[in-house]
């Protein structure tokens, strides 16, 4: 696959130059993508592949939860944390019985969360990816020396600096 290295370079560039808000949006996109993959694998009775997709979704949900900073906005972070905990329970319940409806409910909640973060990125002037897709052409890469200009927004309740779960461009 010749396009894989270009895609990986593009994704790595996007992660390394993204604002905290855009990183959160990307994590939500990834969780939705993995959940949809799990649903498709289960429909086709590919149980192992469905389980692998669920694990990818779980890792991103953990990343989203670990990025919350309760010391900055306790009430808001508590509500968002409860939402992510509920989504995680839905995913675990869906996985246990391969329940397509619970998985669909989880995806619907994440889609609403994604739209919220898309609007945050738009309002703050951050570049937002289209719904659950990203271009793969190398000529669309931003310059490697491009740094986000979102410094005043890096102290919000959802910015915690380095990923706690080890989420990287290869995850």
């Amino acid at each position: 696959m010749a396009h894989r290295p270009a895609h990986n370079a593009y994704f790595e560039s996007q992660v390394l130059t993204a604002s905290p808000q855009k990183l959160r949006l990307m994590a939500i996109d990834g969780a939705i993508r993995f959940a949809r993959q799990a649903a498709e694998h289960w429909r086709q009775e590919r149980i192992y592949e469905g389980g692998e997709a669920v694990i990818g979704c779980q890792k991103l949900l953990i990343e989203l939860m670990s990025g919350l900073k309760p010391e900055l906005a306790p009430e808001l972070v508590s509500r968002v944390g409860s939402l992510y905990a509920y989504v995680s329970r839905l995913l675990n319940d869906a996985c246990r019985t391969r329940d397509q409806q619970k998985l669909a409910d989880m995806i619907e909640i994440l889609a609403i969360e994604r739209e919220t973060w898309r609007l945050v990125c738009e309002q703050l002037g951050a570049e937002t990816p289209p719904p659950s897709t990203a271009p793969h052409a190398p000529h669309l890469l931003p310059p490697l020396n491009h740094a986000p200009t979102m410094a005043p927004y890096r102290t919000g309740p959802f910015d915690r600096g380095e990923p706690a779960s080890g989420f990287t461009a290869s995850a």
Side-chain angles (χ1 to χ4, degrees), residues 57 61 82-92 105-107 109-110:
C57 187
L61 289 175
S82 294
L83 175 72
Y84 290 154
Y86 176 69
V87 167
S88 185
R89 279 193 307 275
L90 276 176
L91 178 63
N92 290 335
D105 292 345
M106 188 208 83
I107 291 169
I109 292 167
L110 285 177

Side-chain angles (χ1 to χ4, degrees), residues 16-40:
L16 293 175
T17 62
S19 67
Q21 298 81 9
K22 186 174 177 188
L23 285 173
R24 184 160 286 276
L25 180 62
M26 292 169 72
I28 294 167
D29 276 343
I32 291 169
R33 186 180 66 252
F34 278 124
R36 287 179 178 156
Q37 288 172 0
E40 183 58 31

